[in-house]
Amino acid sequence: MPFLFLILVGISFAAVPFETEGMEASGRSDGTFLMASPSYFYDRALGEGGVHAQSALWTPMSYTQRLILDRYSMLPSWEVQDPAVWIQTGNEIGDMIYQDLITPQKERPTNRVPMLEAGFRSPSYRSFWATARLFQVDHFSSNTLRLNTKVAGSMNYAHFGSNLPAFSTAYAGFGYSGVKNEAYLLVGKEYLWLFGESGRWVSTLASPKVQARYRHPKMDIFWSYDFLEFQNKKLKEEGLRKEWKGSIYFPYASECEKKDFEIGGGIDFRAVKDSGDVYFGLKDNRVFWAFMQMDYLILDNLSFKVHAGMNERDWLVKDSLEFVATPFAFSTLLWGYQNLWATRLNPMADSYEYFDSDTLKLFTDSYLQLHKIYARWKHSKDSWSLEFSPFAWAEYGAESFDTTAFKKVNKNTWYRLGNRSRVDSWIYSAGAKISLAYWFGNWFDVQAKTGFERIWGPKEFLEVEPIEKFLSIEANWTLKKTLQVSHSWHYRSQSKWNLRHPETFEVPSTWFWNFSLSQLFPKQGLRLTGTVLHLLSDNILEVPNGNINHTRFFATIKKDF
Amino acid sequence: MISEKKRRFLDAPLLVIFVLLFSFLESVASEDFIFSEAFVGLEGGNVYPVGSVQEAVEQSFYGQAEFRYRYFDATYGLVQFGYAYFKTHSDFKLYPGVHQFHGRMGLDHSFPVIHPILLGFGFSCVWTRADTKVDKLDNSPGSSLEDNESEFGVFLNLNLPVFKNENYVVGVNAYMEQIWTLPARSHMFWMGVYLQRRLW
């Protein structure tokens, strides 16, 4: 019975897959991860400096991600997949199906909604390949269905079905993957619901959306064009936006690659042309952003990293100094100090949201500064390791929101008016994370993590008051190279939204279980996976005006080429 | 009254599947066996609603196609796709019936104790849709089936091969299926006759 014992002790890793790239926030506990829908979530790992969502902060690698209003997101991902053919389908568990016919109106649960995906990327022929992908995740869309139906004027606002999913994407294209050069062109159509700072969901249809990329070890060029249609049938409003977006990025080039010094940089740009009722605005209809990054190994065990960017309106600098020591056998000890100064977390984001006759300003004056000290002690021996990571940080001028008024829509839905603002005082924090990992050969591993963080300061002015503690136990098995089992148990404490609801909106502490089972057929390159997420948990609303995090199941069949 | 959380615990059929799965651990496939035999088959029979679903729909015929493959020594994998049309009772006025497509993936195993019967289990997925257009947003009973509704579940299966020769198998399959619906789980009992042809 050792297996049963191990099941009870706990299991897993990051090996439990999610519906699609970028949805990991719906099943993580090692911080404050609150999901309203696949197209909007607050994500902050415990111990990250500052009180902002990580996806709200620009980084040099942001150009590989989607910009959704003022957040970078992996999703809906137009990243080209590895050569394979795959299909996925799933559902939030608890549709009524035949129970619907016999359940009186008062006892009817919220409708549960599915997901689907099908795609392929062909093997290369003389380095050329073709790809196509249709995917949408309807999960997290039941609560907003009624209101959004009025906005879209129909329930058929997606490639498939009538649940008004947060995104529904289809694209096709071709590419070239040579030894050093890689290029592709994709064209598609995408429905996407944006979550405004007002709390209103705004529908957009990109038709077409075109994306191209050229990659070389020394240069990466990215370009996209969206012809976006905004509409609100309830208000009889329509608007169009043409948007050009791109970047030229020079990663750490080989010329700069001395042993101890690396430097790279690039330019990001966006330009829009709006007509009619577009619910967001970009100041001057364009934004450029020039940036550089540098890694400098000052001594063998002392390194300095920095990235910085600027344009005529904003600037941002983030740097860190790290010292690594090996005081004992099998132990490493890292000391770090990190700074962030920025006039705006995301300088590429839209500047305004238009709400009826009001305008919400999405930038503010002055700048934020964040300073963090941290350490990481790791002791690793044979088949286990222990890691202890204490940290402390202080932030002044944290980005927040100055809510000036609320508008009630219905019992559970409120919109807000106001502007981006700063918390004009210091916020302090201290905490630590501990993780213990054990692995047995290459067929079993288990990892337990816990962490706590205390924040001092005027918390009532923070958009989100993060969780204070979490616990997770994860494990994976790979048996006879053909069966993989992964699961993870999570607990996280309470968090709060302070500024999106007339009363403080509490997200209760919760625990949940994720589980995944994969059958591999290595000779055939085939993988069958069944995954259950957020099982044995309360169904809770994690974001005001958002959707409930339900238990859901999905199955995947993938054949690699 | 049992709490929702407790009910989910007691009801969590996944836990049962999990334990069953690990009882199979010793027979986890090795590459020598996977796909060493394969069959395609057709199956037809009757499906009976069990428990509360009897109040919603009537029994029905079903048809399905099957792919079956050797997974381990005495364990086979199965993949099925099928269709059934469930008539609603005459007092239900919104629509006369519901189209249901289903897919299943699972394993069955020959235990010496119950030879020649094979015992199996697996996951099911059903896709349903009313055969008449209705207004989903009016939220009256049955209205959610206006568009595609799908749900997953699990099944237990007994497989009795009645006739076998080198290339063909004729037999009887019976399934007890639980679909993870709300506010209560739904159960169906399926029984049918199949014909399988060996591919290799």
Side-chain angles (χ1 to χ4, degrees), chain A residues 46-294:
Chain A
L46 184 138
E48 280 296 311
V51 289
H52 53 268
Q54 283 168 271
S55 55
L57 178 66
W58 177 91
T59 75
M61 297 318 291
S62 297
Y63 76 97
T64 60
Q65 300 186 333
R66 299 287 304 273
L67 176 64
I68 301 183
L69 275 188
D70 49 3
R71 287 189 321 108
Y72 282 101
S73 169
M74 282 304 296
L75 169 161
S77 171
W78 282 49
E79 279 284 297
V80 176
Q81 306 288 299
D82 291 332
V85 56
W86 64 92
I87 183 166
Q88 287 200 109
T89 179
N91 203 52
E92 291 176 333
I93 288 173
D95 252 341
M96 287 183 285
I97 310 275
Y98 301 117
Q99 298 292 331
D100 187 11
L101 281 66
I102 50 174
T103 307
Q105 250 167 351
K106 279 186 183 169
E107 293 167 30
R108 295 157 68 78
T110 328
N111 188 31
R112 305 300 206 264
V113 286
M115 61 166 281
L116 72 86
E117 169 163 356
F120 79 94
R121 176 180 158 185
S122 69
S124 290
Y125 175 72
R126 296 188 174 177
S127 302
F128 285 95
W129 45 263
T131 187
R133 189 177 182 188
L134 164 69
F135 61 126
Q136 67 180 55
V137 176
D138 297 28
H139 301 169
F140 295 87
S141 66
S142 303
N143 269 25
T144 45
L145 180 70
R146 274 175 184 274
L147 273 178
N148 289 358
T149 301
K150 291 176 188 164
V151 173
S154 156
M155 294 177 72
N156 298 313
Y157 191 76
H159 287 292
F160 184 80
S162 50
N163 297 311
L164 302 183
F167 77 92
S168 174
T169 297
Y171 68 73
F174 59 89
Y176 172 87
S177 295
V179 179
K180 280 196 163 180
N181 298 290
E182 192 175 40
Y184 69 72
L185 176 72
L186 305 174
V187 182
K189 181 177 176 182
E190 180 172 274
Y191 300 84
L192 182 65
W193 287 85
L194 308 176
F195 191 52
E197 286 295 330
S198 62
R200 180 163 75 169
W201 291 92
V202 174
S203 70
T204 66
L205 169 60
S207 180
K209 175 177 173 61
V210 185
Q211 180 169 307
R213 188 167 176 185
Y214 168 75
R215 290 175 78 170
H216 181 271
K218 295 179 186 171
M219 185 165 66
D220 196 338
I221 301 176
F222 177 90
W223 172 83
S224 76
Y225 167 73
D226 291 33
F227 187 71
L228 288 165
E229 196 180 297
F230 289 79
Q231 62 169 25
N232 188 328
K233 296 274 175 165
K234 190 183 172 196
L235 302 174
K236 298 190 172 57
E237 293 173 343
E238 274 182 13
L240 296 173
R241 166 175 277 192
K242 290 178 184 175
E243 175 160 348
W244 297 266
K245 201 159 39 192
S247 63
I248 302 171
Y249 176 57
F250 302 98
Y252 300 115
S254 53
E255 285 84 70
C256 302
E257 234 177 55
K258 288 184 200 166
K259 195 180 166 192
D260 52 1
F261 188 72
E262 290 181 329
I263 190 162
I267 291 174
D268 285 352
F269 69 90
R270 268 183 85 201
V272 299
K273 189 176 178 188
D274 296 339
S275 58
D277 299 303
V278 173
Y279 300 97
F280 305 97
L282 181 63
K283 205 172 185 181
D284 303 329
N285 290 327
R286 56 157 182 82
V287 56
F288 285 89
W289 183 252
F291 63 94
M292 59 153 287
Q293 61 186 121
M294 186 182 78

Side-chain angles (χ1 to χ4, degrees), chain A residues 3 7 91-92 94-96 98-100 105 108 111-112 146 162 479 482 515 519 521 523 528 537, chain B residues 8 18 25 29 31 34 52 71 86 100 105 137-139 142 144 147 149-151 180-182 186:
Chain A
F3 290 114
I7 295 163
N91 203 52
E92 291 176 333
D95 252 341
M96 287 183 285
Y98 301 117
Q99 298 292 331
D100 187 11
Q105 250 167 351
R108 295 157 68 78
N111 188 31
R112 305 300 206 264
R146 274 175 184 274
S162 50
L479 300 165
T482 59
F515 171 75
Q519 177 63 58
F521 302 94
K523 273 186 195 165
L528 313 177
S537 172
Chain B
R8 280 205 298 272
F18 206 32
L25 266 183
E31 289 193 50
I34 286 183
S52 60
Y71 183 68
F86 288 97
Q100 174 180 309
M105 285 175 69
L137 282 183
D138 83 353
N139 206 28
S144 76
D147 73 336
E149 290 296 319
S150 57
E151 194 47 83
W180 299 328
T181 53
L182 283 179
S186 301

Side-chain angles (χ1 to χ4, degrees), chain A residues 297-303 322-326:
Chain A
L297 197 61
I298 303 168
L299 298 168
D300 280 350
N301 50 8
L302 184 66
S303 63
E322 289 187 344
F323 175 77
V324 182
T326 47

Side-chain angles (χ1 to χ4, degrees), chain B residues 111-125:
Chain B
F111 292 95
V113 181
I114 54 167
H115 184 79
I117 295 172
L118 290 90
L119 175 66
F121 74 91
F123 293 100
S124 300
C125 180

